[in-house]
């Protein structure tokens, strides 16, 4: 049974999605499973779940129920581990459900991680760093080559290699990519530079000036060719940056949330004040009301 599943995974995403939609016997069966018996998959590649999105899904589930069953496998102690659908599981708990419809599959640990990864990539739920870390874990834990992993999950080897290269970037840039402060195009351009300090400097410029991918590629090209314009990039303004950092810390302390502050060389910029939920937004609005 495991061999059948493994071959199906090797054919790519379409094979998995097709089976997920229509196959309810043999390698899987559909059942109503108590939520108290379901456990998240510790190898789930997705680590963060948007609270607002979960609340919206929970409301939908209360009104319409679970439209697409989650995928589980039964473990030795009689409980079930999630293969795909942890977001639906969390929203069902929020909605007050006691059980959910689920496909109960036969899956080995390695196949489970592959299935969770594929399901999230298909839905575009993972950010680039989460995908890269999961690729790395699959390769290390199961001693796979990039070529073998490519066959197993239906992704080109070059695609896997490009994701893994992201893990060579400085941690600050990886966090920026994870939090969508930059995109994959920016990151690929920065990977053309071997100097981590220069990578960080250009990353700072992206934050300050909102540079496009094309602009970053131009800066990287200038640096690689040693052209004079890179003196501007290498040149920092410690006093000014220190003032900006102090102001950023002051605003973050005042609003009790990590304020984002950017300013370009011409003096233009923006201040962003993030909030996690409706209650925090109301708290911030109350502060503004007091300032009036």
């Amino acid at each position: 049974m495991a061999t059948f599943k493994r071959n199906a995974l090797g054919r790519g995403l379409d094979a998995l999605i097709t089976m997920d939609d229509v196959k309810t016997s043999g390698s899987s069966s559909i059942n109503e499973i108590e939520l108290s018996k379901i456990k998240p998959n510790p190898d789930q590649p997705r680590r963060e779940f948007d609270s607002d999105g979960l609340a919206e899904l929970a409301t939908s589930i209360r009104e319409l129920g679970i439209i697409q069953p989650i995928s589980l496998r039964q473990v030795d102690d009689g409980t079930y581990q999630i293969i795909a659908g942890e977001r639906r599981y969390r929203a069902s708990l929020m909605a007050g459900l006691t059980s959910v419809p689920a496909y109960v599959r036969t899956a080995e640990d390695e196949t489970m991680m592959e299935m969770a990864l594929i399901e999230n990539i298909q839905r575009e739920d993972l950010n680039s760093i989460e995908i890269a870390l999961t690729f790395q874990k699959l390769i290390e834990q199961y001693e796979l080559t990039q070529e073998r992993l490519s066959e197993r999950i239906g992704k080109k080897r070059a695609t896997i290699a490009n994701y893994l290269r992201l893990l060579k970037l400085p941690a600050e840039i990886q966090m920026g990519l994870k939090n969508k402060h930059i995109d994959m195009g920016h990151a690929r351009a920065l990977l053309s530079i071997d100097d981590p300090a220069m990578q960080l400097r250009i990353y700072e410029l992206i934050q300050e000036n909102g540079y496009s991918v094309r602009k970053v590629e131009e800066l990287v090209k200038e640096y690689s060719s040693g052209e004079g314009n890179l003196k501007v990039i290498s040149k920092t303004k410690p006093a000014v940056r220190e003032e900006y950092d102090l102001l950023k810390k002051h605003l973050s302390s005042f609003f009790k949330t990590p304020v984002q502050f950017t300013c370009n060389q011409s003096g233009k910029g923006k201040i962003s004040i993030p909030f996690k939920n409706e209650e925090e937004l109301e708290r911030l609005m109350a502060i503004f009301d007091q300032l009036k």
Side-chain angles (χ1 to χ4, degrees), residues 181-182 186 190 202-211 216:
H181 295 160
I182 59 172
H186 293 110
L190 292 174
I202 297 179
Y203 172 71
E204 289 173 357
L205 288 173
I206 296 171
Q207 303 303 296
E208 293 171 6
N209 303 296
Y211 283 154
V216 174

Side-chain angles (χ1 to χ4, degrees), residues 56 76 105 112 133 137 141 145 147 159 167 176 189 212 214-215 239-240 272 282 290:
E56 290 177 4
D76 294 338
R105 299 183 179 278
M112 276 191 65
L133 288 170
K137 185 170 184 179
Q141 187 166 339
T145 62
E147 188 67 36
T159 300
L167 301 179
S212 66
R214 182 179 294 275
K215 177 62 175 177
V240 175
S272 301
E282 291 176 356
Q290 290 175 1

Side-chain angles (χ1 to χ4, degrees), residues 34-54:
E34 294 178 19
L35 283 170
S36 60
K37 294 183 178 180
I38 298 175
K39 300 176 180 177
N41 177 3
D43 290 322
Q44 156 72 275
R46 186 181 185 187
R47 297 301 178 193
E48 297 182 0
F49 295 84
D50 177 67
S51 57
D52 292 337
L54 280 177

